[in-house]
Amino acid sequence: GVQPRELAPTLIWVATAAVLAFAVVYPSVVLILSSFKTPQGYGFGNYLAVFQDKAIGVSVLNTVKVVFPSTLFSTALGVFLAWAVIRTDVPGRGLWRSLLAIPYLIPPFIGAISWTFLLGPVGFFNQLWQSAAGASQPLVDLYSLGGMVFVMSIYRYAVPYVVVLPAMKKVNAAVEEAARVSGASPWRTLRDVTLPLLTPSILGATLLVFMFILADFGVSAVLGAPNQIRLMTTQIYAIINRPDLPGNLQLAAAYSLLLALFGLLGLALYNRVLAAQKYVVVSGKSAPVQPTPLGKGKWGLFSFLLVVFSVTTLAPILATLTTSLTKTFGLPFGPENVTLRNFSRLLTIRNIRRAFGNSLFLSSASGVIVTVVALAVAYVAIRGGIRKFWGVRLMQTMVTVPYAVPGTIIALAMILAFAQPLPVTGIRLYGTIWILLVAYVARFMNLGYNNISGAITQIDGSLEEASRISGASHLKAFSTIMLPLLKPSLYGSFFLVVAPTLSEITLSSLLWSVGSETVGTVVFSTQEEGKILLTASLAVVLVTIVVVLNYLVRWFSKDDMGI
């Protein structure tokens, strides 16, 4: 039996297991079973249908055409920029480090919408070109596979940039010095010395980008819709939204599991790279890095950074801001065509007001739940807690897997699991705001877990040991010693979850219903309805909120993201 003084931790563990079983295990099992369910009983019919469906074949091919080039471009650009701001004497290094990280804070689907204001058929750039060249057709077609590769690359380069920056700082300067003394040029040193040392870090970043781009729904939905170009995620979305197709959800489940395999493969490789990374030759105690002098080349690099910043950040943000302040879209922007009416209209439209309320509730509730559950799992996984605890590895898997699997699949699992009333209670989650909460908790658990487990590993276990030797129970030792030390990380974890859930689009687009709209779905639907001015003003408000939240994360967790 359980000792009375250990009853509380056991109850907490059981409650945590119950939350994860409900949010992750149950929907996953239902999804897998559904993929084998056919009108004739259980079998491989859905999988055969998937392999025979031409539209599905095309969507797989499109995904390959978008994911691989985008992953390579964004990794190459991110690593190069990290090197430029850490290891060279480019003017304004400190400022560039922060400016180049801004795309990390902007939700990519908002980025895609911003680019439609610039490069869409009636965007600023194409209008300028048509009037200057007297052309009847726009010069650039953003609604294409090339457009998707471009937008995904410029928003996702920030992932390798942020991941590789800290590793770039730690590379032992003496190794590079030796190469330079031997007469190697800065570029040769970068190629032959710095990059090989950073291989594990770069590999990890590449796999992360691959998983993010593979899972992307927003960019491909915004840029693929006008010309009916579908990737795997948007194809699943299309199948789910076809009630006229017999067994559409079961077919979507079979297709989803094939897509999930790619995501899980990426996660498995990423974990292997992480395990290998512990043995990289980087010195934590090397002398401060002496930036590589580039001579006259530093102004060339400065110009390149200026171009990158203008293209990835300045141009789309200015285009969105300008559009949001425009009275009539299509007319030149000037004093007589400026208004704040688009922003005041946001307050008067009922479903938009409701969407902001819903998103605030969902993001703060999921932030709290994730922080509490992640704390329980991370603490037991790292500190061991009471030896009687079972299923720790399974709990860790349940926390990490939903983040590696594309959101479209999580949403489908939720639909299949909760479309019917729950057994025993008869409560129906589908069509309510609660299904979104369960989905957000499952999807973003890993963010809180990584943040908190990182903090727990840095706290010396002997502090709690001493407290327990003095007669304190597990819970007492935890609450008086661990909790105060973990406070910054718990706040950080909360805001880490709040930021992406506020602008979440993938889960919400499939799970929302009238009355439970979210900010993401409202932006998405106004954009689809062609309400350009309203979309732009919504995008400006959303980006402002997300950027502020991200700075709060960094402030609370005392983390500058290496920036």
Side-chain angles (χ1 to χ4, degrees), residues 240-409:
I240 294 169
N241 284 320
R242 275 201 55 195
D244 59 309
L245 184 72
N248 64 323
L249 293 181
Q250 286 71 28
L251 187 66
Y255 189 28
S256 290
L257 287 173
L258 296 176
L259 175 55
L261 283 177
F262 291 113
L264 293 172
L265 185 68
L267 178 68
L269 288 171
Y270 178 66
N271 285 336
R272 289 198 62 169
V273 169
L274 274 193
Q277 211 170 332
K278 290 170 185 158
Y279 309 105
V280 183
V281 190
V282 288
S283 149
K285 299 192 176 70
S286 65
V289 177
Q290 286 306 310
T292 307
L294 295 178
K296 286 181 182 159
K298 69 182 180 184
W299 290 107
L301 184 58
F302 180 85
S303 310
F304 176 72
L305 296 187
L306 195 60
V307 169
V308 169
F309 174 67
S310 303
V311 170
T312 60
T313 310
L314 205 57
I317 284 179
L318 280 178
T320 311
L321 195 57
T322 311
T323 307
S324 71
L325 296 170
T326 302
K327 255 186 208 165
T328 314
F329 188 67
L331 292 181
F333 185 71
E336 62 290 338
N337 195 18
V338 171
T339 181
L340 285 172
R341 202 189 72 213
N342 302 319
F343 288 99
S344 60
R345 276 181 65 206
L346 295 183
L347 299 170
T348 58
I349 299 172
R350 232 177 89 206
N351 69 331
I352 291 182
R353 284 210 315 265
R354 195 165 52 209
F356 272 97
N358 288 341
S359 283
L360 279 171
F361 162 71
L362 285 166
S363 55
S364 45
S366 46
V368 170
I369 296 168
V370 164
T371 304
V372 172
V373 174
L375 174 63
V377 178
Y379 181 71
V380 173
I382 292 160
R383 285 284 185 261
I386 308 156
R387 293 281 164 246
K388 292 186 206 68
F389 285 146
W390 37 263
V392 175
R393 286 303 297 274
L394 174 67
M395 300 276 266
Q396 284 175 293
T397 309
M398 289 195 292
V399 164
T400 47
V401 164
Y403 199 63
V405 172
T408 325
I409 300 173

Side-chain angles (χ1 to χ4, degrees), residues 96-113:
W96 283 124
R97 269 164 64 182
S98 296
L99 290 179
L100 293 171
I102 292 174
Y104 188 73
L105 311 179
I106 296 172
F109 90 98
I110 295 286
I113 290 173

Side-chain angles (χ1 to χ4, degrees), residues 485-502:
L485 291 171
L486 284 174
K487 208 175 263 181
S489 300
L490 298 180
Y491 285 133
S493 160
F494 173 76
F495 285 113
L496 262 180
V497 174
V498 168
T501 47
L502 257 184

Side-chain angles (χ1 to χ4, degrees), residues 172-258:
N172 194 332
V175 191
E176 288 179 316
E177 283 294 321
R180 286 212 297 278
V181 168
S182 315
S185 69
W187 309 112
R188 181 87 192 271
T189 309
L190 169 68
R191 193 189 71 200
D192 295 348
V193 179
T194 318
L195 287 182
L197 277 176
L198 290 169
T199 304
S201 182
I202 293 169
L203 253 177
T206 308
L207 287 165
L208 268 183
V209 173
F210 169 78
M211 288 194 289
F212 280 142
I213 294 175
L214 181 73
D216 179 87
F217 169 79
V219 175
S220 39
V222 169
L223 301 182
N227 293 329
Q228 296 289 301
I229 300 170
R230 292 197 180 127
L231 304 194
M232 288 171 87
T233 47
T234 41
Q235 183 66 31
I236 291 170
Y237 176 81
I239 298 172
I240 294 169
N241 284 320
R242 275 201 55 195
D244 59 309
L245 184 72
N248 64 323
L249 293 181
Q250 286 71 28
L251 187 66
Y255 189 28
S256 290
L257 287 173
L258 296 176

Side-chain angles (χ1 to χ4, degrees), residues 130-192:
Q130 281 169 273
S131 60
S136 61
Q137 289 299 313
L139 178 66
V140 181
D141 180 14
L142 189 66
Y143 300 128
S144 59
L145 290 174
M148 289 182 201
V149 170
F150 170 70
V151 171
M152 288 193 195
S153 301
I154 62 172
Y155 282 97
R156 290 306 186 191
Y157 84 77
V159 175
Y161 174 73
V162 169
V163 169
V164 173
L165 258 183
M168 194 74 84
K169 278 184 188 168
K170 286 184 195 157
V171 171
N172 194 332
V175 191
E176 288 179 316
E177 283 294 321
R180 286 212 297 278
V181 168
S182 315
S185 69
W187 309 112
R188 181 87 192 271
T189 309
L190 169 68
R191 193 189 71 200
D192 295 348

